[in-house]
């Protein structure tokens, strides 16, 4: 079945540092890939997405590129801020021909940014 | 823009009691998903409904049931509650028709505590 493996946390960085959170996946066909962010006490917010190979999703300074050859969707940001502190989830949605549209999540990575 | 509404936001129940969680999707969305997130865990898919019919089923206990009504809102009914049911329950909605599926938008969640 489909699965997502995410870089284990927690990750602690200083403000303005470069961020990478690794995410790799296992799936048949051509899934869609997502990054969701969960701030303390809140629900899941879609951060960015990519629906086909070589697509780059970007939002709020975050970027991730859908790499089919390495089955990866690593999240990056060039200069993090204290307000980026949250839990980040990589997620996969199977190709539409597979019928089920549920999201499969990685384990989540807790990010803390210190001033 | 309207978001996914969940009620109640917090619920405290005792073991063996029942609970009903409600979800109101974004207007015109035709699909509802339920996820369960245990403490420090990633969200796990429970069940989904497309146009009021169950479309997929995940790791939902037999003690739980759900349905989607004619106005597209959904309810998750949980009986014989156990301590292990304590979790954050998310509802998400998406639009599958008209060239979809599109991304899932999550509600703020219902935090269920079983004592």
């Amino acid at each position: 079945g489909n699965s997502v493996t995410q870089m284990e946390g927690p990750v602690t960085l200083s403000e303005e540092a470069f961020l990478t959170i690794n995410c790799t996946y296992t799936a048949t066909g051509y899934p869609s890939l997502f990054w969701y962010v969960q701030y303390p006490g809140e629900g899941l917010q879609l951060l960015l997405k990519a629906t086909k190979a070589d697509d780059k999703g970007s939002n709020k300074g975050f970027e991730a590129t859908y790499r089919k050859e390495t089955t990866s969707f690593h999240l990056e940001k060039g200069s993090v801020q204290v307000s980026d502190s949250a839990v980040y989830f990589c997620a996969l949605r199977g190709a539409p021909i597979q019928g089920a549209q549920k999201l499969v999540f990685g384990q989540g990575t807790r990010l803390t940014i210190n001033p | 823009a309207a978001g996914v509404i969940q009620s109640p936001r917090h619920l405290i129940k005792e073991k063996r009691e029942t609970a009903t969680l409600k979800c109101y999707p974004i207007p015109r969305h035709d699909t509802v998903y339920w996820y369960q997130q245990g403490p420090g865990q990633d969200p796990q898919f429970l069940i989904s409904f497309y146009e009021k019919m169950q479309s997929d089923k995940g790791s939902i206990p037999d003690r739980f049931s759900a349905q989607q009504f004619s106005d597209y809102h959904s309810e998750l009914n949980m009986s014989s509650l156990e301590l292990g049911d304590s979790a954050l329950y998310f509802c998400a909605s998406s639009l599958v028709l008209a060239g979809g599926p599109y991304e899932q938008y999550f509600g703020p969640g219902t935090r269920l505590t079983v004592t």
Side-chain angles (χ1 to χ4, degrees):
Chain A
N2 297 339
S3 66
V4 177
T5 301
Q6 202 176 322
M7 172 180 173
E8 289 191 23
V11 173
T12 302
L13 297 172
S14 298
E15 204 165 22
E16 299 182 4
F18 183 85
L19 168 71
T20 298
I21 301 178
N22 290 337
C23 171
T24 57
Y25 68 89
T26 301
T28 55
Y30 295 88
S32 295
L33 301 172
F34 305 85
W35 278 98
Y36 281 85
V37 58
Q38 186 175 32
Y39 297 101
E42 297 187 14
L44 293 162
Q45 298 178 25
L46 177 65
L47 181 59
L48 52 83
K49 67 175 182 178
T51 57
K52 60 183 187 296
D54 300 325
D55 264 3
K56 177 186 282 189
S58 61
N59 186 26
K60 299 181 181 179
F62 291 90
E63 292 183 340
T65 301
Y66 187 164
R67 301 284 189 200
K68 187 150 181 73
E69 63 276 14
T70 55
T71 61
S72 66
F73 193 55
H74 305 321
L75 182 68
E76 296 182 335
K77 187 174 185 181
S79 176
V80 293
Q81 305 300 314
V82 172
S83 58
D84 294 327
S85 298
V87 179
Y88 291 80
F89 290 96
C90 185
L92 172 157
R93 184 184 69 210
I97 58 173
Q98 296 174 359
Q101 299 301 313
K102 63 179 180 286
L103 289 170
V104 175
F105 290 88
Q107 309 93 308
T109 301
R110 181 174 298 279
L111 174 66
T112 301
I113 307 300
N114 294 321
Chain B
V4 177
I5 297 171
Q6 290 187 248
S7 67
R9 293 293 309 277
H10 302 272
L11 191 57
I12 300 175
K13 291 285 185 178
E14 295 187 354
K15 282 194 307 182
R16 293 180 289 276
E17 284 192 321
T18 61
T20 297
L21 280 54
K22 297 185 179 182
C23 168
Y24 297 86
I26 292 172
R28 295 189 300 281
H29 279 192
D30 51 22
T31 305
V32 167
Y33 310 79
W34 286 97
Y35 294 86
Q36 177 192 57
Q37 185 181 27
Q41 303 293 312
D42 57 290
Q44 294 289 319
F45 171 73
L46 293 177
I47 195 166
S48 64
F49 293 88
Y50 167 64
E51 284 290 340
K52 292 154 279 185
M53 298 290 290
Q54 181 180 308
S55 56
D56 196 9
K57 194 172 182 180
S59 50
I60 182 170
D62 292 340
R63 299 177 289 107
F64 294 7
S65 64
Q67 57 182 322
Q68 186 179 30
F69 295 86
S70 57
D71 64 352
Y72 291 94
H73 95 273
S74 178
E75 294 183 4
L76 177 66
N77 299 293
M78 310 160 72
S79 63
S80 303
L81 287 169
E82 301 174 356
L83 295 178
D85 296 328
S86 295
L88 194 54
Y89 290 83
F90 287 110
C91 172
S93 74
S94 71
L95 179 65
V96 174
L97 275 180
Y102 301 110
E103 57 262 28
Q104 295 179 26
Y105 292 88
F106 283 77
T110 293
R111 184 169 297 283
L112 172 67
T113 303
V114 181
T115 62

